[in-house]
Amino acid sequence: MANLIEKLFSSPIFTWWNSATFGTRLYTSRKGVKVGEDKEGNIYYREKDGKRRWVIYKNGPIEASRVPAEWHGWLHYTVDTPPSEQPLPTKSWEKDHVPNLTGTAGAYVPPGSQRAGGQRAASSSDYEAWKP
Amino acid sequence: MPKLTIDGQEVEVAPGTTVLQACEEVGVEIPRFCYHERLSIAGNCRMCLVDMERSPKPIASCAMPVGEGMVIHTNTERVKKAREGVMEFLLINHPLDCPICDQGGECDLQDQAMAFGRSGNRYHENKRAVEDKYMGPLVETAMTRCIHCQRCVRFTEEVGGVEDMGALWRGEHTEITTYLDKVIESELSGNVIDLCPVGALTSKPYSFTARSWELKKTESVDVMDAVGSNIRVDARGNAVMRILPRLHEDVNEEWISDTTRFAYDGLKLRRLDTPYVKKGKSLEEAAWGDAFAAIKKKLKDVKGSEIAAVIGDLADMESMVALKDLLGGLGSKRIECRQDGTALEAGVRASYIMNTGIAGIEEADFLLLVGTNPRFEAPLVNARIRKATRKNGLKVANIGSAEDLTYKVDEFGDDATLLKKVLGGRHELSKALKAAAKPMIIVGQGALRRADGAQVLKAAHDIAEKYCVKEGWNGFNVLHTAAARVGGLDLGLTAKGGIEAIKADAEAGKLKVVFLLGADEFDTSALKDTFVVYLGTHGDEGVKNADVILPGAAYTEKSGTYVNTEGRVQRTAKAVFAPGDAREDWTILRALADVLEVKLGYNNLGELRARLVKLAPLAATLDTLVPAEWADFGAEGDVAEGGFGPAIGNFYLTNPVLRASKIMAECVEIREGNAEEATGTHG
Ligand code: SF4
Ligand code: FES
């Protein structure tokens, strides 16, 4: 029983945060025109005869920070040509896009935290104990 | 007494006072860089300019003696302009590196530039740059910051008594240097760091480790020697970051010795942070309970007469009392505080303190040193003597090995029998002592450590009685080297035969259990087959033959009562916590007493102090000198021929904290290296 409830609640009928909802999928299949895909595999759509733009995330949660910078611009109407047509110039020192890791295993923990293995950085309060 | 007017206020001051001092007396603050109360007047920074009526230009108040009827103004437009001008000149060549300067936040130049300077800079040329100088392992330099106030030069020469610092070249090219990158060979060299009004001379060990405003300041007392210098312990988190002097006119004025200032890194090295119990041949970590149980097991079939205790040099009176009571509960009275084996006895207080007091040296007009080298045994006493020789023309004579004490000393040779001759009255020294109005004699531990120490003490007593003890003046002084010693003697912690008897009895198997309260200054190999309980802070001599080790707290980690060599009772304060499982010593003894089913009768520090005062009533007289009653002491008898040995080994290595310190090790290396160079092939 509990299992069933869990399943129900993780299905796209009831939740909108695990994957695109049925409504969105329906709308996408009726009106959506695929514009491009980013490195992660998220797919970007625009409305066939309107100006709406949206994204369907590939596997994983609906998390706005997964949209990389170049697509962010297009998605928010900052630019009109999608980066799939006209890639943004990238510099050699630019790092790859990383989504917000808060709440995940990859989240930042300060040095010395138990989650970081409990090993704190050296401090001036350290002392050297005598050993026989 | 000249009368003058300062900003409309009339004031009468002693003749010879300077205008700056007179201003201070009426509460008018004059900015200054080069002027320092304890140094000679240089008058070279010009920051102290004030207006004097009928004078065509502003005068340097620090160098101008007051005159009758002077009218001084310190708040006129011209003074303001003059200060701004001087400030601007000083800043021409001063780098603007306050954010990376260790002096930042406690810098006279910074403060005075804010208070008296202009807001903008009109100087667009390049600033001059000066190469940094090497001044040894203690003093870091950034000589571009130097404003040539010469305080450091005057200090090393006048107070330190060494001519290791000076200025080269002139005008804009002036450079302060130690000549040929020499080390400042003074035991007080660290004080130039405090004196330097800017960040040109800073502390090398402290450099870039903390900022002054993030430190927690605790007022405390030093235990590196028996002077009891007043110090301020600056800590961040649980670490002592630096130690600075605190003003105490009668003890250390405003100086401290280098061991006091730089010992703190020893507090973090080689620390005992957990109890150990010997299992088989090796020491193993143990819980407190197990360590106590091991002691209890051993003590089960040991008689009271088979137990003894030795008190170390850094022990506070509270833990001594606790140990005394604990031993008393176990049926033993054998507790010894003279681990260096000197012949002092506890009965007469006048026999083991510096009756004249440290400040009293300045009143004396003749001083006889007997078997002591104050320069290393108590650098601040030495500084006082030097001050008295310079200021009051104090004459110093020495019976003992001839050393450079930084002032002129008449050497009479290293022979103890001289004391009897002086007593005889025909000797040159007897005449000098007799002629003096306030003669002093300082007896060192080196003199009292001889086999005939008691006879030497008696001879010194007789000399003192004959010449030095007068109405309102007691010129008999014993100079101690250990911070705990006077406290121990005040508590009467002496045992018959002293440390030698304890060693002999231990070797003969007559002693079964010995407690060491931080006693590291004697050879513990005699205790090899005895059950040794060591309560202390560092893994040093005492732990070598220990069977149970109990980790205690160092002087910055507890509030403890200490009595300095002049009999002044002072208290340290807790600045940081003891490391790991270590605890304050008296609490350990209190807990151990519970396990051993001994009732000590106190549960907190207050009750313990009440007990302390009962045992040694003078412990209640914080920071006052109580004159000790003169009486007879020492032992009659002949004094053998021969000299006095040194009281301490290396100045930088006199206790476990110092021996653990890396900074001190570096000092030893460098100064010994220099000594070799001076006498060796280079000479
Ligand atoms: S180093 Fe410091 S104390 Fe010495 S002259 Fe320069 S500013 Fe003055
Ligand atoms: S304080 Fe007067 S000239 Fe420096």
Side-chain angles (χ1 to χ4, degrees):
Chain A
M1 185 69 185
N3 221 345
L4 187 69
I5 291 177
E6 215 170 80
K7 245 193 186 149
L8 261 179
F9 268 91
S10 59
S11 83
I13 305 176
F14 286 104
T15 63
W16 52 265
W17 55 87
N18 288 320
S19 61
T21 57
F22 267 128
T24 309
R25 290 207 186 148
L26 196 67
Y27 189 80
T28 307
S29 65
R30 282 181 53 233
K31 295 262 177 88
V33 177
K34 181 175 169 185
V35 180
E37 226 176 275
D38 64 20
K39 278 195 202 110
E40 237 198 288
N42 307 325
I43 304 173
Y44 297 83
Y45 295 91
R46 78 179 156 74
E47 212 177 356
K48 222 179 269 169
D49 40 8
K51 52 192 296 260
R52 294 177 92 168
R53 300 171 183 179
W54 68 94
V55 56
I56 303 271
Y57 293 99
K58 184 182 178 194
N59 308 331
I62 311 293
E63 161 61 49
S65 72
R66 288 175 66 187
V67 175
E70 62 262 29
W71 280 102
H72 183 274
W74 177 80
L75 202 57
H76 290 77
Y77 307 92
T78 312
V79 293
D80 277 333
T81 35
S84 50
E85 280 168 33
Q86 192 188 5
L88 288 185
T90 50
K91 298 272 191 282
S92 58
W93 40 260
E94 267 181 52
K95 283 191 174 170
D96 283 341
H97 176 75
V98 180
N100 183 359
L101 294 173
T102 303
T104 71
Y108 170 80
V109 281
S113 154
Q114 281 302 322
R115 293 232 311 277
Q119 274 296 324
R120 69 167 173 75
S123 97
S124 54
S125 299
D126 291 343
Y127 62 92
E128 186 191 285
W130 175 81
K131 290 273 168 272
Chain B
M1 297 252 282
K3 237 192 217 143
L4 71 165
T5 319
I6 296 169
D7 290 348
Q9 268 174 284
E10 280 228 338
V11 55
E12 216 181 314
V13 291
T17 322
T18 61
V19 174
L20 191 144
Q21 285 164 329
C23 287
E24 231 154 50
E25 235 158 83
V26 292
V28 175
E29 203 191 323
I30 308 285
R32 87 281 308 261
F33 292 112
C34 70
Y35 174 78
H36 193 277
E37 302 90 67
R38 284 168 225 280
L39 303 175
S40 63
I41 292 165
N44 51 9
C45 74
R46 314 316 279 182
M47 192 60 202
C48 61
L49 294 178
V50 295
D51 235 348
M52 183 171 79
E53 264 176 32
R54 295 206 312 272
S55 152
K57 48 185 186 175
I59 56 160
S61 62
C62 73
M64 174 69 94
V66 291
E68 182 62 44
M70 268 184 177
V71 183
I72 304 287
H73 298 285
T74 67
N75 46 16
T76 59
E77 194 51 33
R78 193 154 70 144
V79 172
K80 184 165 175 283
K81 271 219 170 118
R83 287 173 180 169
E84 281 175 1
V86 171
M87 205 64 227
E88 205 175 357
F89 274 128
L90 285 175
L91 290 179
I92 280 181
N93 278 321
H94 191 83
L96 285 177
D97 58 357
C98 307
I100 56 141
C101 176
D102 262 335
Q103 193 86 354
E106 46 183 10
C107 174
D108 289 354
L109 192 66
Q110 213 176 22
D111 294 349
Q112 293 184 26
M114 288 302 291
F116 305 105
R118 288 164 46 90
S119 53
N121 184 7
R122 294 185 290 180
Y123 188 77
H124 300 293
E125 287 73 24
N126 288 335
K127 296 191 180 230
R128 83 181 185 138
V130 182
E131 241 175 73
D132 289 348
K133 307 289 186 294
Y134 173 80
M135 294 195 183
L138 303 177
V139 182
E140 173 80 55
T141 64
M143 292 325 272
T144 23
R145 297 181 189 143
C146 173
I147 57 167
H148 308 126
C149 68
Q150 314 266 359
R151 275 188 189 182
C152 52
V153 178
R154 278 176 284 150
F155 174 83
T156 44
E157 194 176 314
E158 292 164 16
V159 181
V162 292
E163 274 157 19
D164 284 347
M165 287 187 90
L168 292 179
W169 321 120
R170 312 185 43 164
E172 202 199 19
H173 304 287
T174 312
E175 291 187 21
I176 300 290
T177 168
T178 48
Y179 308 120
L180 308 175
D181 280 355
K182 208 171 154 268
V183 181
I184 310 174
E185 300 230 354
S186 167
E187 295 65 48
L188 299 168
S189 67
N191 292 301
V192 297
I193 297 163
D194 294 340
L195 279 173
C196 185
V198 297
L201 306 180
T202 52
S203 163
K204 208 170 241 180
Y206 170 72
S207 67
F208 309 130
T209 55
R211 299 301 263 169
S212 59
W213 53 85
E214 51 179 10
L215 299 171
K216 192 183 84 196
K217 293 142 180 117
T218 313
E219 308 209 322
S220 187
V221 171
D222 172 58
V223 299
M224 294 299 123
D225 52 31
V227 172
S229 301
N230 284 217
I231 53 169
R232 195 183 87 197
V233 181
D234 284 5
R236 184 183 60 193
N238 204 38
V240 176
M241 301 307 290
R242 64 171 177 182
I243 289 176
L244 296 179
R246 205 147 53 84
L247 191 72
H248 194 310
E249 289 296 345
D250 293 337
V251 182
N252 56 319
E253 299 184 273
E254 62 183 48
W255 322 122
I256 51 175
S257 75
D258 287 354
T259 46
T260 305
R261 186 184 299 265
F262 296 108
Y264 61 86
D265 80 321
L267 295 169
K268 286 195 273 181
L269 296 170
R270 272 202 251 156
R271 283 308 295 268
L272 300 175
D273 66 342
T274 176
Y276 286 91
V277 174
K278 193 169 239 166
K279 296 225 171 79
K281 275 226 153 343
S282 64
L283 285 162
E284 264 163 46
E285 277 182 36
W288 278 106
D290 300 339
F292 289 163
I295 299 172
K296 183 172 183 179
K297 197 166 140 223
K298 177 73 195 176
L299 281 174
K300 213 159 63 198
D301 34 41
V302 170
K303 286 201 290 290
S305 58
E306 293 167 334
I307 305 174
V310 182
I311 309 279
D313 286 357
L314 306 182
D316 54 315
M317 286 181 95
E318 283 82 356
S319 34
M320 287 189 232
V321 168
L323 184 58
K324 179 188 158 92
D325 288 345
L326 176 65
L327 246 66
L330 297 172
S332 167
K333 279 213 169 69
R334 195 159 186 193
I335 184 166
E336 177 57 61
C337 73
R338 304 160 300 176
Q339 58 167 332
D340 53 359
T342 52
L344 294 168
E345 287 299 336
V348 184
R349 196 164 197 253
S351 74
Y352 59 81
I353 63 167
M354 205 167 162
N355 293 294
T356 314
I358 295 172
I361 295 172
E362 283 180 46
E363 287 172 43
D365 51 1
F366 186 83
L367 169 61
L368 174 62
L369 300 171
V370 179
T372 179
N373 178 355
R375 177 167 180 185
F376 294 121
E377 286 163 32
L380 289 154
V381 171
N382 202 52
R384 215 40 110 122
I385 300 176
R386 183 175 157 77
K387 184 177 172 192
T389 56
R390 283 170 56 89
K391 270 210 170 139
N392 314 337
L394 172 72
K395 295 227 165 4
V396 185
N398 182 27
I399 300 180
S401 70
E403 313 276 348
D404 176 16
L405 297 182
T406 71
Y407 40 82
K408 188 176 163 288
V409 179
D410 295 326
E411 300 290 350
F412 284 85
D414 192 5
D415 183 6
T417 49
L418 271 176
L419 290 173
K420 289 281 180 193
K421 285 192 198 130
V422 174
L423 194 55
R426 307 273 283 278
H427 194 266
E428 196 183 326
L429 273 172
S430 339
K431 289 182 190 134
L433 280 165
K434 196 158 184 192
K438 289 187 168 177
M440 271 179 86
I441 171 166
I442 297 186
V443 184
Q445 301 299 304
L448 302 171
R449 198 175 298 160
R450 291 168 33 130
D452 56 355
Q455 285 76 18
V456 171
L457 184 65
K458 175 74 185 163
H461 163 268
D462 291 346
I463 295 176
E465 191 158 79
K466 195 156 171 195
Y467 305 108
C468 308
V469 182
K470 307 180 176 182
E471 184 66 33
W473 177 258
N474 188 339
F476 179 80
N477 300 282
V478 173
L479 184 61
H480 285 270
T481 55
R485 192 77 76 250
V486 179
L489 289 167
D490 274 353
L491 285 169
L493 303 182
T494 54
K496 214 162 163 249
I499 188 81
E500 291 307 324
I502 290 181
K503 279 202 245 174
D505 282 359
E507 267 176 342
K510 277 192 249 164
L511 271 179
K512 294 266 158 59
V513 177
V514 174
F515 286 84
L516 300 181
L517 185 59
D520 292 301
E521 257 42 68
F522 72 101
D523 183 13
T524 55
S525 56
L527 309 178
K528 226 173 14 247
D529 303 319
T530 320
F531 187 84
V532 175
V533 180
Y534 179 81
L535 167 51
T537 54
H538 286 74
D540 204 83
E541 174 69 27
V543 299
K544 281 189 193 155
N545 293 298
D547 295 270
V548 175
I549 297 176
L550 306 173
Y555 69 110
T556 49
E557 294 151 5
K558 63 186 168 193
S559 170
T561 308
Y562 291 88
V563 188
N564 81 350
T565 188
E566 38 168 10
R568 186 186 298 274
V569 181
Q570 302 187 104
R571 228 162 244 171
T572 61
K574 182 171 185 157
V576 294
F577 286 93
D581 266 348
R583 292 289 178 272
E584 287 173 41
D585 307 31
W586 79 267
T587 59
I588 298 172
L589 294 165
R590 174 68 182 73
L592 178 60
D594 260 355
V595 174
L596 300 178
E597 285 154 29
V598 173
K599 276 228 154 40
L600 293 188
Y602 29 81
N603 298 317
N604 55 42
L605 198 55
E607 287 169 21
L608 172 55
R609 290 218 166 116
R611 167 90 180 133
L612 166 62
V613 170
K614 210 179 223 169
L615 290 173
L618 283 175
T621 60
L622 269 189
D623 200 19
T624 32
L625 284 190
V626 183
E629 216 160 296
W630 187 247
D632 196 22
F633 48 79
E636 289 289 353
D638 274 343
V639 174
E641 231 171 273
F644 305 116
I648 53 172
N650 194 309
F651 165 65
Y652 294 107
L653 303 174
T654 44
N655 64 44
V657 182
L658 294 173
R659 281 191 290 267
S661 159
K662 288 199 177 122
I663 306 170
M664 291 298 123
E666 214 177 313
C667 289
V668 173
E669 206 172 292
I670 286 171
R671 288 202 50 183
E672 273 179 2
N674 279 357
E676 257 158 49
E677 227 166 81
T679 54
T681 47
H682 295 257

